[in-house]
Amino acid sequence: MWSYVGPPKGKVLVTGGSGFIASHIIDAFLDDGFEVVATVRSNEKGRAIVSSAPLLQQKNISYVVVGDIAEEGAFDSVFKSGSAFDYVVHTASPYTLKVHDPIKDLLDPAIKGTTGILKSVKAFAPTVKRIVITSSSAAIINPLKHAQIYDETNWAPWTLEDIHIPKRAYETSKALSEKAAWNFVETEKPNFDLATINCTFTFGPLQRSLPNLDAMNTSNHRIRDMVQGKMKGGLSPTMPVFTFVDVRDVAQAHLKAVTMPEAGGNRFYVVGGYFSNKRIADVIQHSFPELAARLPEDSHDDFPADVYKFDNSKSRRILGLDYIDLDKSVRDTVQSIIDRSPEL
Ligand code: NDP
């Protein structure tokens, strides 16, 4: 229940407002008493975000249409319009494993979108104090030679060449765009500071504005597919990662990265725990016995015995995160899928 009363605590621009993670970030900022402007690619998506927000909060959420973020100056008009933003949260970036042209479909929007918003803010938005970018654990993990324990000091090894390796393309887009952001701040010395949220594979309740289950974000697909019986013949491999985080923790991480002064200048590895597809199936089996017939009968757990460790202590210490566990994350995701599936 929303309880904040008083004037907005500040005005934040959230890019990629139609996205799964962005929707929870928007909710976290609204709940905390901020005014939020979301960027979207169409009026239809913008209207869906505003109209699906709780009535009491609708006065604090609006949207602005920004086309392809890979275009030069894509964000300029947002900041030239005279709106005085205090913070920017940049989530917009393609997260898809199906690409035709990895440069056009992934790399350009990731890198040019990121450097583009930094340039626009520097040029036209002197009131912005901090930019928080949704990076990824893909910018941390090195699957070619795993660290024993991953934390914010690790960097994925990808270079421009890796964009042409299909299974590396998305990871490369995230690692190089985050690097470009830190490089921008170091060389351009803008008035704002930067923090990145390096969240791992993210599960959680679907965004209210999602038009249908086919439009669902990539990282929830495996849970949707299990609920829909698409893995009845056998669980697909858990790859590429065995760590998850709940989207509500990811949202809190972005909010706290804005509001905690000491968060500036930092990367945060945001990871809630381990999972495998078998562990997800087990949670569904126990919590939703009516769905049991849609799950494979017996299946092997491919969780590796020698899985790498992670250290999320910085996110707990500075951002105050207290992570949601796999049981709750999967239960709430499944329930939100059921709520959108009249046939279930
Ligand atoms: P979604 O696909 O739900 O959201 C992606 C958002 O980016 C959408 O709003 C989309 O707009 C927008 N977008 C993509 N390409 C462009 C473009 N060329 N121009 C303008 N807007 C664009 O994904 P998630 O919510 O899962 O991901 C959001 C962010 O979080 C991404 O940066 C992703 O890399 C990162 N992330 C995600 C993780 C996960 O497991 N989900 C884990 C770690 C990081 P539209 O709706 O119009 O397509």
Side-chain angles (χ1 to χ4, degrees):
M1 187 65 190
W2 188 50
S3 56
Y4 179 77
V5 281
K9 289 182 180 173
K11 190 167 181 174
V12 58
L13 183 78
V14 177
T15 71
S18 54
F20 163 60
I21 289 179
S23 73
H24 288 269
I25 292 174
I26 291 171
D27 284 352
F29 276 92
L30 289 174
D31 287 349
D32 202 53
F34 280 85
E35 181 183 353
V36 178
V37 179
T39 75
V40 283
R41 284 203 263 195
S42 70
N43 280 305
E44 191 188 356
K45 288 181 181 182
R47 280 194 294 266
I49 291 169
V50 174
S51 64
S52 64
L55 269 181
L56 280 173
Q57 294 184 333
Q58 288 186 6
K59 65 179 189 322
N60 281 340
I61 168 88
S62 60
Y63 72 90
V64 54
V65 174
V66 169
D68 184 357
I69 56 173
E71 296 291 322
E72 181 73 31
F75 292 103
D76 285 0
S77 59
V78 177
F79 299 112
K80 280 178 172 171
S81 70
S83 248
F85 290 99
D86 299 293
Y87 305 102
V88 171
V89 176
H90 179 55
T91 84
S93 199
Y95 181 13
T96 171
L97 306 177
K98 294 182 199 134
V99 291
H100 299 295
D101 176 343
I103 298 200
K104 195 167 157 294
D105 299 341
L106 279 175
L107 198 69
D108 282 352
I111 297 186
K112 293 181 182 172
T114 300
T115 53
I117 196 154
L118 297 172
K119 281 184 203 163
S120 297
V121 170
K122 183 172 184 240
F124 305 113
T127 51
V128 170
K129 299 180 252 311
R130 178 170 296 166
I131 299 189
V132 176
I133 294 178
T134 316
S135 183
S136 171
S137 61
I140 287 186
I141 305 292
N142 178 4
L144 304 177
K145 189 174 184 307
H146 279 300
Q148 279 200 327
I149 305 180
Y150 282 106
D151 64 19
E152 292 81 0
T153 60
N154 296 101
W155 272 96
W158 316 126
T159 65
L160 267 182
E161 311 302 312
D162 294 299
I163 197 74
H164 300 291
I165 304 171
K167 69 176 178 187
R168 299 277 175 251
Y170 169 72
E171 300 166 16
T172 302
S173 76
K174 295 304 288 182
L176 297 188
S177 57
E178 190 194 330
K179 273 192 182 150
W182 288 115
N183 188 43
F184 180 94
V185 171
E186 195 174 317
T187 55
E188 298 287 324
K189 310 218 178 318
N191 283 332
F192 54 83
D193 65 7
L194 176 69
T196 63
I197 301 301
N198 295 71
C199 40
T200 189
F201 213 63
T202 306
F203 301 138
L206 310 179
Q207 62 267 51
R208 288 185 299 267
S209 64
L210 193 73
N212 56 60
L213 293 185
D214 292 336
M216 188 191 283
N217 68 294
T218 301
S219 55
N220 272 330
H221 283 182
R222 65 189 66 210
I223 299 180
R224 176 196 65 191
D225 291 353
M226 283 187 214
V227 169
Q228 292 180 333
K230 289 182 185 159
M231 292 198 200
K232 175 75 185 152
L235 293 175
S236 52
T238 303
M239 296 294 284
V241 288
F242 292 87
T243 51
F244 86 98
V245 63
D246 187 275
V247 69
R248 292 158 289 189
D249 290 331
V250 174
Q252 278 304 309
H254 286 79
L255 172 67
K256 293 294 166 60
V258 158
T259 56
M260 303 302 286
E262 61 271 41
N266 282 290
R267 312 172 86 198
F268 293 97
Y269 185 29
V270 169
V271 47
Y274 291 113
F275 83 100
S276 66
N277 283 353
K278 172 74 169 122
R279 291 181 185 186
I280 291 176
D282 287 348
V283 175
I284 300 176
Q285 181 110 31
H286 290 136
S287 304
F288 300 91
E290 68 278 18
L291 297 178
R294 294 169 177 253
L295 299 168
E297 267 162 28
D298 69 325
S299 48
H300 155 77
D301 190 347
D302 62 3
F303 190 80
D306 61 345
V307 73
Y308 53 78
K309 296 186 171 49
F310 60 84
D311 178 357
N312 62 10
S313 57
K314 186 173 167 183
S315 68
R316 290 179 184 273
R317 194 176 67 252
I318 299 182
L319 305 180
L321 294 186
D322 181 16
Y323 287 98
I324 292 170
D325 66 19
L326 184 66
D327 264 45
K328 178 170 172 51
S329 189
V330 171
R331 275 199 319 269
D332 293 353
T333 310
V334 171
Q335 189 58 55
S336 84
I337 293 170
I338 291 174
D339 293 345
R340 310 288 179 92
S341 313
E343 75 281 9
L344 288 176

